[in-house]
Amino acid sequence: MKALFSSLALLISLSTQASWQLDNSQSRLDFVSLKNEVAAEVHQFSQLKGHWQDDGSLSIEIAVAGLQTHIPIRDDRMWQYLFKLDDYPLITATGSVTPDAVADLAIGSSKTLRVPLQLTIVGQTQRVQSEVLVTRLGESSLQVNTQAPIMVNGAQFGLTEGLNRLRDLAGLQSINPMVPVTFTVRFEK
């Protein structure tokens, strides 16, 4: 009888934890900035959190404080003038992917999916398209990579004023508002 209750408790525990959780230690999100039309630099957000629920809903939170440009003064300026960290500590991406889309993936195999996302930056939400490659790494592990960069137009998110302020502070001629974004995220069940 004790074994039966233990088994039931385990099944209930597994069923309530059925969603896929993003593993931040195995994930990264990068973007490229272009200044003065010739100087490109890669930056990273290092703090990602998210889940993919059994109903297909996908939600990822990107902590603005996790921005890493490898130049502390630039990080501070981007937090303050571009992303307005105090008012908007998170960038979010939400979407929907039916679990059936990858249910038949064998371990080691991959599948390309088109996933429309609702991206919210500084309180402004825009729809972006992503094409991703989903690879099953194990029974309870998936890796999702961008197949092509997601082009994010900062002007559509109201970032023009912040970009102009950064440009002036750094003494640049220009900062391109179009930013290619790539990611590799690992989900564990």
Side-chain angles (χ1 to χ4, degrees), residues 18-85:
S19 70
W20 294 87
Q21 300 297 316
L22 188 143
D23 179 354
N24 186 64
S25 70
Q26 299 293 317
S27 301
R28 65 180 294 138
L29 186 146
D30 300 298
F31 68 98
V32 177
S33 66
L34 181 64
K35 58 187 183 183
N36 292 340
E37 299 186 28
V38 293
E41 296 177 307
V42 178
H43 312 296
Q44 179 182 18
F45 283 100
S46 63
Q47 298 173 17
L48 309 174
K49 188 168 100 175
H51 57 271
W52 179 27
Q53 300 291 357
D54 290 335
D55 67 0
S57 61
L58 172 68
S59 177
I60 296 177
E61 295 179 344
I62 303 150
V64 171
L67 172 66
Q68 296 179 350
T69 69
H70 307 292
I71 299 176
I73 188 71
R74 182 169 51 198
D75 291 348
D76 289 339
R77 288 174 175 173
M78 288 178 76
W79 290 332
Q80 182 177 359
Y81 302 118
L82 188 63
F83 294 113
K84 302 175 184 173
L85 173 63

Side-chain angles (χ1 to χ4, degrees), residues 36 51 60 68 72 79 112 119 122 135 145 150 167-168 188:
N36 292 340
H51 57 271
I60 296 177
Q68 296 179 350
W79 290 332
T112 299
L119 182 62
V122 296
T135 304
N145 300 320
I150 299 169
R167 181 200 63 213
D168 294 344
E188 305 286 345

